[in-house]
Amino acid sequence: MDASERIPRKICVVGSANVDLTFRTHRLPLPGETLAGSSLHQGMGGKGANQAVAAARLGARVTFVARVGNDAFGSEALASYAAEGIDTSFIHKDNERPTGTAAILVDDKAENSIIVVAGANEGLTPDDIKAATSSIESAALVLCQLETPLGTAIEAFRIARASGTLTVLTPAPVSLVTDELLALCDVCIPNKTEIAALTGCLIENYDDAKNAANLLRQKGVKRVVLTMGGEGALVVDDEGATHIPRMKVDAVDTTGAGDAFTAALAVSLANGLDIRQSARQASIVAAISVTRIGTQSSYPTGKEVQAWRR
Ligand code: RIB
């Protein structure tokens, strides 16, 4: 596709849609232990849906390609995406599997543990992606994660590559990543655990992080944006390595902050910012999200980000 035919600020997200049940507890339970929690929050989640919602709130035109169950959570999810202005034409209702569900435990230090039952997410097929070809081709970027089958991400990236749409990968769950997928990846956004698994490097300092990112680039990834939690992020590409410091905030819930970061980076790239400016913008959006409880409920709008910067 010719660059002039591409729709400005359009992002296509291929990935998971879950309902998130967030339990707050003083500390995470030990094996075999029963703990009293302090609150329960139900909201929409899933790495794909989180990225779609975060990008839409920041002003992108978003198409979300996904599967939900033919159940109450699925209908609720569809209605909530439509309310965010997301194009839901490529979200299918699966008659055989329930909507994906995540149980999330968050402790007083804002750390979390998550169990996901994939449900309908497992049913997203390469044919579902082919049906959305024109949407991928006309987008500035396509975002994938791996809570839906690997083959769907590969199909989405193949279509994107053939048409000049930028491919952006969240390599989670990391055990599913293959070299074939990495070779189709323009921007890969791992965290420290993920890059260690992908490269076999233990990340203990800045040089370890830079070396691991360069090893990932040798597998065909063009740009690596390594998120390092409290230590900020590291952008590594042909121009070298740049550290992006983290914004200091009082975190209450870090769940989904990586998805907010990825979406904000993608929106900034789609708006024409370079990768370093985009990573700075992304770190602001992620910082705002950790000051609020929940996943999608914690994502700021473009106006909130501007106000926060002031
Ligand atoms: O990245 C956070 C997400 O992981 C949650 O919303 C949960 O649904 C799991 O997919």
Side-chain angles (χ1 to χ4, degrees):
M1 174 167 286
D2 187 86
S4 61
E5 291 172 68
R6 222 170 278 290
I7 300 174
R9 297 186 294 111
K10 179 170 171 190
I11 290 176
C12 185
V13 181
V14 173
S16 57
N18 295 334
V19 59
D20 283 355
L21 302 174
T22 304
F23 299 80
R24 293 208 61 109
T25 162
H26 171 56
R27 61 172 173 80
L28 300 178
L30 300 169
E33 185 183 27
T34 301
L35 277 183
S38 54
S39 69
L40 172 64
H41 173 93
Q42 181 191 314
M44 290 302 153
K47 294 187 196 308
N50 292 348
Q51 294 179 5
V53 167
R57 292 218 181 125
L58 295 171
R61 292 178 57 180
V62 179
T63 298
F64 183 32
V65 184
R67 268 190 187 255
V68 294
N70 193 2
D71 50 27
F73 284 150
S75 301
E76 202 181 316
L78 276 169
S80 75
Y81 308 147
E84 299 286 349
I86 293 170
D87 174 6
T88 58
S89 351
F90 299 104
I91 304 181
H92 307 276
K93 277 196 166 180
D94 192 308
N95 286 321
E96 281 153 33
R97 305 170 177 92
T99 300
T101 306
I104 303 174
L105 306 184
V106 181
D107 71 9
D108 283 351
K109 292 184 199 141
E111 295 297 339
N112 63 60
S113 297
I114 305 181
I115 296 175
V116 182
V117 177
N121 295 306
E122 272 175 354
L124 193 70
T125 64
D127 281 345
D128 293 333
I129 308 303
K130 284 190 189 110
T133 296
S134 63
S135 218
I136 296 173
E137 286 179 342
S138 61
L141 304 96
V142 62
L143 307 189
C144 286
Q145 336 71 36
L146 295 171
E147 289 183 330
T148 48
L150 172 68
T152 60
I154 290 179
E155 186 62 35
F157 277 9
R158 273 205 201 113
I159 294 169
R161 263 288 157 91
S163 59
T165 298
L166 215 65
T167 60
V168 180
L169 177 70
T170 300
V174 71
S175 58
L176 301 177
V177 177
T178 61
D179 284 354
E180 183 184 8
L181 183 66
L182 291 176
L184 290 166
C185 194
D186 292 314
V187 182
C188 183
I189 311 178
N191 60 26
K192 282 205 284 190
T193 310
E194 289 156 357
I195 204 165
L198 291 171
T199 62
C201 301
L202 198 63
I203 314 296
E204 288 181 334
N205 54 44
Y206 180 82
D207 283 339
D208 294 342
K210 199 167 81 175
N211 292 339
N214 279 321
L215 281 176
L216 204 53
R217 292 178 65 232
Q218 283 170 19
K219 292 176 185 271
V221 174
K222 291 192 182 145
R223 289 160 168 175
V224 176
V225 182
L226 173 62
T227 59
M228 302 185 294
E231 295 140 82
L234 186 70
V235 177
V236 183
D237 62 6
D238 282 346
E239 291 173 28
T242 305
H243 179 238
I244 311 290
R246 94 166 166 118
M247 301 280 141
K248 293 200 176 79
V249 290
D250 289 329
V252 293
D253 183 357
T254 57
T255 318
D259 299 324
F261 183 96
T262 298
L265 184 104
V267 173
S268 299
L269 288 172
N271 283 339
L273 269 60
D274 70 30
I275 189 93
R276 288 164 175 77
Q277 293 166 323
S278 299
R280 285 190 188 97
Q281 186 70 10
S283 72
I284 294 173
V285 172
I288 296 173
S289 83
V290 303
T291 63
R292 302 169 176 177
I293 289 176
T295 43
Q296 290 170 25
S297 52
S298 72
Y299 297 157
T301 61
K303 275 192 183 157
E304 286 175 311
V305 176
Q306 278 173 15
W308 200 85
R309 288 178 80 109
R310 280 198 293 272

